[in-house]
Amino acid sequence: MSKARRRTRHPAAPPRQAHARPAKTPRHFHVRPYRLLRGLLITLAILAVPMAWLVVEERHARQLADLSVIGSGEPVVVQVFDQRRRESRRLRDNAEQALANLDRPPAWRVVNINTTEGTRFANQHLVGPVTLVLFDAVGRRSRVIEGAASVDELEAAFRAL
């Protein structure tokens, strides 16, 4: 004899009655257009501020590195700059403060010695990385200031141009 259990069979249940309401259709994921637009505008605003700042900084850096103003009828001060040297940063701060103290300051330019143009300029004028080269209105080199000079000394040199 087999040891299988016998199941008792129950009569089948009567079929259920259909609902009076029609069956619901599945809802698809739907993003409302204004939510999508709002998210896009927020993302754009978050990205636009740093991008605008970078563009302004790049333009400012290009303007400071433009040496075409030498000999254009106004005196020019060019700093040979190395951002890794503390003395070079101090000279730049002192020069910018001295220029701010003058009523009619000369044009201010900065060449980075770590670039090709900066190295070419420094080699052409035989100067080092912590140096200011002063040009008169005609474009002749009138003076070279080496090392981190004081604000008063720089003001006097700039006025002499």
Side-chain angles (χ1 to χ4, degrees), residues 79-124:
Q79 180 184 5
V80 180
F81 182 70
D82 185 358
Q83 69 268 12
R84 295 176 292 188
R85 293 188 178 214
R86 185 179 317 148
E87 299 86 18
S88 190
R89 292 190 305 264
R90 188 177 326 133
L91 177 61
R92 183 174 181 171
D93 291 341
N94 289 350
E96 287 175 347
Q97 186 176 355
L99 290 168
N101 292 342
L102 297 176
D103 293 333
R104 292 182 43 153
W108 171 248
R109 297 295 183 257
V110 178
V111 293
N112 188 343
I113 197 160
N114 298 316
T115 63
T116 305
E117 292 176 27
T119 304
R120 186 180 314 127
F121 180 84
N123 290 338
Q124 180 182 359

Side-chain angles (χ1 to χ4, degrees), residues 40-99:
L40 184 64
L41 288 176
I42 289 171
T43 304
L44 183 64
I46 289 171
L47 294 176
V49 171
M51 291 303 293
W53 181 77
L54 288 173
V55 167
V56 168
E57 284 296 314
E58 179 65 25
R59 282 186 185 164
H60 183 66
R62 282 186 184 173
Q63 179 187 8
L64 280 178
D66 179 25
L67 299 178
S68 65
V69 296
I70 296 174
S72 65
E74 69 174 314
V76 180
V77 177
V78 179
Q79 180 184 5
V80 180
F81 182 70
D82 185 358
Q83 69 268 12
R84 295 176 292 188
R85 293 188 178 214
R86 185 179 317 148
E87 299 86 18
S88 190
R89 292 190 305 264
R90 188 177 326 133
L91 177 61
R92 183 174 181 171
D93 291 341
N94 289 350
E96 287 175 347
Q97 186 176 355
L99 290 168

